Amino acid sequence: MKRYLLTSILLFTLIIAKAEIVLYVSPTGDDQHPGTLEQPLQTLENALAKAKEMKQRQPQDGIKIYLRGGEYPFTRAARVDRTLSGIAGKPTIIAAYKNEEVVFTGAIKIKGSDFTSVRDRKERSFLHKTAANKILVADVNASGLSVDEGLFPHGFGYSIEELVPSSSMLFIDNEAYDLGRWPNEGEPIVKIAEVLNKGSIARYGKVDNPYGAQFKYLGDIKNWKQKDNIWIYGYFAYGYADDNVMIESIDTKKKTINTTHPHIYGFHSSADTSDWGLKHSHKIRGFHFYNVLEEVDQPGEYFFDRDANRLFVYPSNSITGDTDVRLTQFAEPFLMLEGVNYLNIENIDFKYARGLGVYLGYVSHVNIRDCRFENLGGRAISMGDTYPTDLKTEIDNQNLNSFVRIENCYINNMGSGGIYINGGDNRTLNPGNNLVQNCEISNFNLFNKTYAPAVRVTGVGHTVRHCYVHLAPHMAIGFQGNNLLFEYNKIANVCQNASDMGAMYTGRNQAEQNNTIRYNYFENVYKDDENRVCAVYLDDGTVGHYVYGNIFNRCGNPTDKGSFGAVHVNGGYNNYFTNNIFINCKQALGNSPWTIEKWKTDLMAADLQNKLTERVDIRSDAYKDAYPQLHTILDTAIVPMRYNFSDNNIAFLCGNFASGNYVNSNMLFLKDSEKSDPFVDYKNKNFNLKDSIRIKEVLPKFQAIPYDRIGLLK
């Protein structure tokens, strides 16, 4: 009897374990098929619908959807909602079958054989003389759909958080092509001379009837035959505020330009140094023209005639029948996840689209791993109220995301940043516990070049670790929230065309505290002698952050005032910088202290009152328990000692250690490279410390930084 009972239990357990819905999808399948391995479905959308139908009949069953190798063209988002949720230990799985190469794509694919030399006499008259015989043209078949809505203004002031889909972009053999521009990349930009009309200025309020600017320019501009739909990109006022505006007219005799669109700060002469911000951005203030057919004059440039659906290309390499040519078209997210719990997305490539790879809202226990995101106009992954679309259904809960893991992903050639994670509850300080780990993110600003970082973090209790972020004109990681952790990341060659910016950046909210930046390596965060950039920027009154055990190599630029170091604090206090190593930095720590009057003015302003008492309430028990000193900040009669604290740091080959309101202690300043080189192999960038008697004597409490563990996991 016991043997019979044991056998029955084992059989029942085996049946329960195997109770699952398994569907297969293939580009060569048929949506009328049952979805078996032998007879797969053709689209993920139908597989999801079939799984949902089967789940209603078999509610206890798990779901596995396997995609066979090949390309899956998308014309609308595939939606995954709560009805497709898994459970702990049995997540719903959407994955490549046995690691076959699965590619979601949303672009028009143009055959290499469709390209010919430009023979039409009128078209040839618009081509650059030296490039005319090298430019190829092809008709674009949009399958009855428009490729996009055309070019549009974008940049600083056009909603940093809610990035809309980009205009179409061209990729050939995975290389991003640029719209024909002048001056070319690497050449001096066009400088703004006298400003005749700054245009409408909307920085501090809405302008009912916005209007463009009129200004003179320095140098000579070609008198192009093309007169319409010419755009300019550049910095027109401050070094943190770029813009894309359309030209209304150019007078090459009077050397004047009229713009169709305004800039949020108004246009300023490149020579204008009338205030702090203008002075330290005048070197990059100026612009280049783009979307000019006559300026397709070097490899890697193109022009798309939307009226005639004609694509003109100056190819980097010969275009043959095997050349992969894509013009992005699809504007929605490939995957739209809302309200779903316990879901894994694995080994899928998201390529060639104007929008996002994956959108998540009100989700929990979602894993996105071993995926590639390339050549998208938006972000790879975006969570919460960070993407404007009428596809959303869970409107009130978009930011309640928890236990999301994004790991082992490769992200490259993105239009508007990499990953946006959002979750937890700022009012109660309950953590979201979301994680970004072991991801490489590079070249992520093809469309929006500022305020679209590789990783943007908002909310409570998230971690970004073991990532490699590189190649960007602006910031690498932007964060706003509480109890965030950034560790073991490598960040290199960012902030390459910016001023008043940091590789890691936060600011303007004293309620956001207890964020930790530790065991990271920063390299080459530097532009030139006049652009103020740094590796870690705690801006506009940031309070209560910890920067511990990091290595800064050639970071920061103090400029004439000496305030910007590898680390910069603007106004804030009670920030702690300990056990760090600074190498080849003009200055290690910088600071711009605020006056008592400045603090009073800012704290009483509507913006901070909203952030501190309405968006969250720093007088609540949750905030008093977490940050005991914070609730008194609104009492302007109390004037705290506003200092930042530096302890146990090493500076090697640095010009200066600190400026501003720092309390410095236990600092080792090493200048002579031959006698005091503290590293195992400085020339080959092995920044593990030698067994140094001097370090032990001066800094006996200095803890070894785990340099070999920084960056991508092996």
Side-chain angles (χ1 to χ4, degrees):
M1 185 68 181
K2 288 181 179 179
R3 183 181 299 173
Y4 174 78
L5 182 61
L6 180 60
T7 303
S8 298
I9 291 172
L10 288 173
L11 286 171
F12 180 74
T13 303
L14 186 61
I15 291 169
I16 293 296
K18 287 189 174 182
E20 58 186 13
I21 297 164
V22 181
L23 295 170
Y24 295 87
V25 186
S26 170
T28 59
D30 190 318
D31 283 333
Q32 301 305 312
H33 283 169
T36 62
L37 182 60
E38 296 77 18
Q39 291 185 295
L41 299 162
Q42 187 180 38
T43 64
L44 176 60
E45 186 176 15
N46 276 281
L48 293 169
K50 191 173 185 67
K52 187 180 294 188
E53 179 186 326
M54 296 172 72
K55 184 78 169 176
Q56 290 176 342
R57 299 194 301 268
Q58 305 157 239
Q60 301 305 314
D61 290 3
I63 300 171
K64 293 180 179 178
I65 298 175
Y66 292 115
L67 298 124
R68 301 302 306 270
E71 288 196 4
Y72 294 81
F74 274 65
T75 57
R76 59 183 176 183
R79 303 181 63 91
V80 184
D81 60 24
R82 66 180 68 250
T83 64
L84 294 171
S85 294
I87 58 174
K90 191 187 289 186
T92 296
I93 294 175
I94 301 173
Y97 177 70
K98 293 186 176 180
N99 293 328
E100 292 179 359
E101 187 176 354
V102 172
V103 181
F104 291 174
T105 183
I108 298 167
K109 190 172 183 178
I110 304 167
K111 297 178 182 178
S113 58
D114 290 340
F115 284 93
T116 64
S117 300
V118 181
R119 299 187 181 94
D120 182 86
R121 182 176 296 178
K122 183 177 180 181
E123 287 181 340
R124 283 189 69 88
S125 71
F126 278 81
L127 303 183
H128 196 284
K129 291 181 180 179
T130 63
N133 293 329
K134 299 175 182 178
I135 294 173
L136 302 177
V137 64
D139 289 324
V140 176
N141 179 10
S143 302
L145 302 172
S146 62
V147 175
D148 62 13
E149 294 77 34
L151 304 180
F152 57 88
H154 59 100
F156 186 90
Y158 290 96
S159 181
I160 297 169
E161 312 296 344
E162 297 187 345
L163 296 175
V164 298
S166 71
S167 301
S168 292
M169 297 190 292
L170 178 69
F171 299 90
I172 299 181
D173 286 338
N174 214 46
E175 177 189 352
Y177 273 52
D178 294 320
L179 286 165
R181 58 170 281 179
W182 183 87
N184 285 321
E185 182 76 32
E187 296 177 353
I189 57 177
V190 180
K191 294 290 188 176
I192 303 170
E194 180 185 0
V195 176
L196 305 175
N197 186 332
K198 289 185 176 181
S200 57
I201 300 174
R203 182 64 181 99
Y204 301 106
K206 182 181 177 182
V207 175
D208 292 330
N209 296 297
Y211 55 92
Q214 183 184 49
F215 58 86
K216 293 187 175 183
Y217 57 85
L218 299 176
D220 294 317
I221 291 176
K222 301 174 186 178
N223 190 11
W224 296 301
K225 289 185 178 181
Q226 179 183 335
K227 302 300 180 187
D228 60 343
N229 208 20
I230 295 176
W231 291 69
I232 56 175
Y233 167 81
Y235 291 89
F236 305 118
Y238 299 105
Y240 54 83
D242 67 336
D243 214 340
N244 293 264
V245 299
M246 188 165 68
I247 294 299
E248 183 178 294
S249 63
I250 303 173
D251 189 327
T252 55
K253 293 182 179 179
K254 294 181 179 179
K255 294 191 174 184
T256 60
I257 291 175
N258 291 303
T259 70
T260 304
H261 307 109
H263 174 56
I264 190 169
Y265 289 107
F267 283 70
H268 291 257
S269 164
S270 296
D272 189 347
T273 58
S274 57
D275 65 34
W276 180 90
L278 293 171
K279 180 178 181 180
H280 293 290
S281 58
H282 76 93
K283 204 163 188 177
I284 64 172
R285 193 176 313 128
F287 58 92
H288 68 257
F289 297 87
Y290 68 94
N291 198 46
V292 185
L293 175 56
E294 292 164 78
E295 292 304 328
V296 178
D297 63 345
Q298 62 178 7
E301 291 189 331
Y302 79 104
F303 178 84
F304 179 48
D305 184 340
R306 288 171 172 78
D307 294 328
N309 271 355
R310 299 270 280 173
L311 178 65
F312 298 83
V313 174
Y314 191 146
S316 298
N317 299 292
S318 298
I319 292 181
T320 67
D322 296 328
T323 303
D324 188 23
V325 183
R326 313 279 182 136
L327 190 64
T328 58
Q329 182 180 32
F330 182 56
E332 296 177 2
F334 287 105
L335 296 181
M336 191 86 181
L337 314 180
E338 286 190 287
V340 65
N341 302 317
Y342 295 101
L343 169 72
N344 290 358
I345 299 169
E346 303 170 2
N347 288 298
I348 296 173
D349 292 0
F350 299 81
K351 291 186 175 183
Y352 305 114
R354 293 169 48 214
L356 300 173
V358 181
Y359 175 80
L360 306 95
Y362 193 32
V363 302
S364 179
H365 295 89
V366 171
N367 295 331
I368 301 174
R369 58 193 180 207
D370 301 307
C371 293
R372 293 177 70 92
F373 299 85
E374 292 186 275
N375 309 328
L376 304 180
R379 299 185 183 100
I381 300 166
S382 199
M383 297 169 58
D385 286 332
T386 59
Y387 181 68
T389 176
D390 56 7
L391 298 175
K392 294 177 182 177
T393 58
E394 301 283 352
I395 299 298
D396 296 331
N397 305 305
Q398 292 289 320
N399 295 328
L400 297 181
N401 303 292
S402 60
F403 296 100
V404 175
R405 295 176 66 95
I406 302 166
E407 52 189 338
N408 309 333
C409 291
Y410 176 77
I411 300 170
N412 180 53
N413 272 357
M414 305 302 296
S416 300
I419 298 169
Y420 197 125
I421 61 173
N422 184 8
D425 189 333
N426 289 94
R427 295 192 67 84
T428 64
L429 295 177
N430 288 331
N433 296 302
N434 299 311
L435 170 69
V436 178
Q437 178 171 273
N438 202 42
C439 295
E440 180 175 356
I441 310 173
S442 60
N443 201 29
F444 44 88
N445 295 118
L446 297 181
F447 191 70
N448 282 294
K449 301 188 183 301
T450 65
Y451 296 94
V455 184
R456 187 164 186 82
V457 184
T458 59
V460 182
H462 313 308
T463 299
V464 180
R465 66 160 64 102
H466 286 298
C467 291
Y468 177 30
V469 178
H470 55 115
L471 299 178
H474 210 245
M475 72 171 77
I477 296 176
F479 63 98
Q480 290 183 291
N482 299 72
N483 309 331
L484 307 174
L485 175 61
F486 304 91
E487 61 179 3
Y488 299 106
N489 301 293
K490 179 179 178 180
I491 299 174
N493 298 302
V494 298
C495 293
Q496 296 299 291
N497 191 37
S499 186
D500 195 16
M501 184 45 56
M504 293 189 67
Y505 178 89
T506 190
R508 293 197 177 190
N509 192 339
Q510 288 75 35
E512 297 171 345
Q513 295 201 19
N514 197 37
N515 298 314
T516 300
I517 299 169
R518 69 180 184 187
Y519 307 138
N520 303 282
Y521 174 67
F522 299 86
E523 180 179 271
N524 198 31
V525 185
Y526 174 84
K527 178 61 179 174
D528 58 36
D529 290 339
E530 299 202 25
N531 289 12
R532 303 164 73 88
V533 294
C534 59
V536 176
Y537 194 168
L538 308 182
D539 198 7
D540 289 333
T542 297
V543 177
H545 286 50
Y546 302 89
V547 180
Y548 175 89
N550 303 280
I551 299 175
F552 301 90
N553 181 19
R554 197 172 182 265
C555 296
N557 188 31
T559 68
D560 58 344
K561 282 192 176 181
S563 61
F564 262 61
V567 171
H568 181 63
V569 180
N570 179 24
Y573 60 94
N574 280 0
N575 299 296
Y576 293 82
F577 306 92
T578 59
N579 212 94
N580 301 288
I581 297 175
F582 301 88
I583 307 165
N584 276 314
C585 300
K586 291 186 176 181
Q587 181 167 284
L589 303 174
N591 172 243
S592 303
W594 283 1
T595 63
I596 294 173
E597 290 73 21
K598 166 70 172 170
W599 270 106
K600 287 182 178 180
T601 301
D602 272 44
L603 288 170
M604 291 299 102
D607 178 53
L608 277 183
Q609 287 290 314
N610 174 264
K611 290 176 179 176
L612 300 177
T613 64
E614 296 182 31
R615 191 182 301 177
V616 304
D617 189 351
I618 62 173
R619 301 160 299 189
S620 67
D621 290 341
Y623 273 79
K624 284 183 179 180
D625 291 343
Y627 318 118
Q629 297 177 334
L630 178 60
H631 69 281
T632 61
I633 196 172
L634 295 173
D635 186 350
T636 55
I638 300 174
V639 181
M641 299 294 289
R642 295 189 174 107
Y643 290 102
N644 296 289
F645 299 90
S646 161
D647 182 47
N648 226 41
N649 295 296
I650 297 173
F652 175 61
L653 295 181
C654 294
N656 187 33
F657 187 73
S659 70
N661 62 348
Y662 285 95
V663 175
N664 297 307
S665 56
N666 303 316
M667 179 266 294
L668 181 58
F669 198 77
L670 305 171
K671 281 193 172 182
D672 191 307
S673 61
E674 295 296 327
K675 294 181 180 180
S676 60
D677 177 359
F679 305 111
V680 170
D681 190 350
Y682 168 73
K683 291 183 179 179
N684 291 303
K685 297 182 181 179
N686 182 342
F687 295 128
N688 289 298
L689 292 174
K690 298 174 185 175
D691 186 12
S692 170
I693 296 175
R694 186 175 181 190
I695 292 175
K696 289 179 180 179
E697 289 178 345
V698 179
L699 301 178
K701 295 182 179 180
F702 192 91
Q703 298 294 312
I705 297 172
Y707 178 70
D708 293 332
R709 294 176 58 194
I710 296 174
L712 296 171
L713 297 167
K714 298 292 186 288

